[in-house]
Amino acid sequence: MKKQRRKQIILWVGSFLLLLIISACTPNANNSVSDEQKEESEKTVQYTTITGKQIEIPADPKRVVYIGQTIGDFLAMHIPVVGNNLPQDIPSYYEGKFEGIVDVGNPGDLEKILSLKPDLIINGYYKAEADHNEALSKIATTIPFNPALPYTERVKEMGNIFGKQEEAAQLIARFKAQSKEMFDKFQLAEGETATVFYQLGKTLYVMGNRSLGAIIYGENGFAVPPAVQKNILDKEGVSFVNISEEVLSEFAGDHLFVVVQDDVESKTEADRLLQRPTWTTLPAVKKGNVHVVPSEWNTDNLLALEQLFEQMPQWMDQQ
C-alpha cells in the first residue's frame, strides 16, 4: 500500500511539474493579442505628401485628427476621426454625425489635440499656419492636405493615405454616374456656361471649381466662362476672387448660382445686389436663369453629394 501511495504521489508531482513547464512555454493569450495589436498599430507605410516629401505614416491609423472643412469625406469613408474643427452652424446633412468627435477649433488647439492621443493628423491649413503645422508634427505624424481640391482628386488622395484606394474609386465612380444622370436631364446646350457667385457680408466672390463649383463645372456639367477660367482656374492656388459690381458682366455665364451666407448682412447685401441695374441687365437674369443657393450647399463633400444632386434640379426649376 505504501509503495502504491508513493507511486501516486510521484505521478501527481510529475504531472504538476509538467503542467508548469507547458504553462511557462505557452505565451499568455491576452499578452499575445495585445502584442499583435501593438505591432499592427506600429506598422508604417511610405507616403509621398502633396509637397513632394516622402514620410512614414501609420498603415492603419486608429485615432485621426483632421483639421479642414471636408469632414464629410472622412465620415463617408468611415475613417476614425477623433478630432476636427467642427462647423458652428451645422448643415442638415451632418445631423447626428459628429458623435464622438471633439471640436479642436481653428486652426486646432494643440493642448486639446495632444489630449486626444492621435496617431495621425491631417492638416488642411498647413500653408497658412506653417509654425502651427510644425507644432502639430511634434504631437503625431502630420500630413499636409488640400481640402480645396475637387472631390474626385481629394477622395483619391484620401484613398492613398488610408489604404482605401478601391473604396475611393468606387465612391468617385458612383457620384460621377449620379452627376451624369442629373446633367443629362438638364439637356444643356454645348458650351452653356454658369457662374457661382458667393455673397459673404459686403464682399461678392466668384468661385472656381471648388465646393459647389466642383459640381457645376464637373464632367458633363456647365462650361466655364472665359473670365473664370483666366482669373481663377488658370492660376495656381486660386480658388475664388472677390469682384466689384462693375465687372459682373465679365464673369456672368448663361446661368448664375448665387450662394448667400446665412447672416443678416450677407442677405441684405445679396438683396441689394439683385435689385441693382448692373445685375438686372445681365442676359442670364433677363432669361430667369438665376438660382439662389443656401450656403450649406456650397460644398462637394461626400456626405452632402447624395442630397446635392437632388437639390440642384430644384434650383434649376426656380425662375
Side-chain angles (χ1 to χ4, degrees), residues 175 178-179 182 215 305-313:
F175 288 122
Q178 289 184 1
S179 175
M182 179 184 70
I215 307 303
L305 282 186
E306 195 85 48
Q307 297 175 55
L308 185 58
F309 289 130
E310 296 174 3
Q311 292 287 330
M312 241 184 103

Side-chain angles (χ1 to χ4, degrees), residues 77-243:
M77 293 180 73
H78 307 291
I79 291 166
V81 175
V82 295
N84 174 249
N85 53 313
L86 297 173
Q88 299 307 302
D89 297 319
I90 301 177
S92 57
Y93 43 81
Y94 283 149
E95 192 86 31
K97 302 291 186 180
F98 292 152
E99 187 176 349
I101 300 177
V102 174
D103 186 2
V104 299
N106 284 319
D109 182 278
L110 295 174
E111 190 173 336
K112 194 173 284 187
I113 292 172
L114 179 63
S115 71
L116 293 174
K117 300 179 180 178
D119 49 11
L120 185 64
I121 299 172
I122 311 291
N123 185 15
Y125 297 157
Y126 72 98
K127 280 187 177 179
E129 303 282 348
D131 292 341
H132 195 73
N133 188 75
E134 182 66 25
L136 289 171
S137 66
K138 292 178 181 177
I139 296 174
T141 300
T142 300
I143 296 176
F145 187 73
N146 185 4
L149 291 171
Y151 81 91
T152 50
E153 297 176 41
R154 196 174 64 236
V155 172
K156 184 178 179 181
E157 191 62 27
M158 289 175 63
N160 293 334
I161 293 171
F162 295 100
K164 290 175 174 275
Q165 289 90 343
E166 188 176 340
E167 182 180 339
Q170 289 173 351
L171 284 166
I172 291 168
R174 171 186 160 196
F175 288 122
K176 274 189 172 183
Q178 289 184 1
S179 175
K180 183 179 185 307
E181 183 181 351
M182 179 184 70
F183 278 113
D184 283 348
K185 290 177 182 176
F186 294 160
Q187 296 183 326
L188 302 179
E190 187 176 349
E192 192 168 349
T193 60
T195 307
V196 181
F197 291 107
Y198 183 29
Q199 186 72 56
L200 178 60
K202 293 185 177 182
T203 307
L204 182 67
Y205 295 92
V206 177
M207 307 296 294
N209 62 342
R210 65 171 292 184
S211 302
L212 179 60
I215 307 303
I216 299 296
Y217 300 131
E219 215 172 307
N220 309 298
F222 290 97
V224 181
V228 175
Q229 184 72 45
K230 178 183 176 182
N231 293 281
I232 303 177
L233 272 63
D234 287 346
K235 294 191 176 180
E236 187 177 353
V238 177
S239 300
F240 53 86
V241 292
N242 63 302
I243 63 166

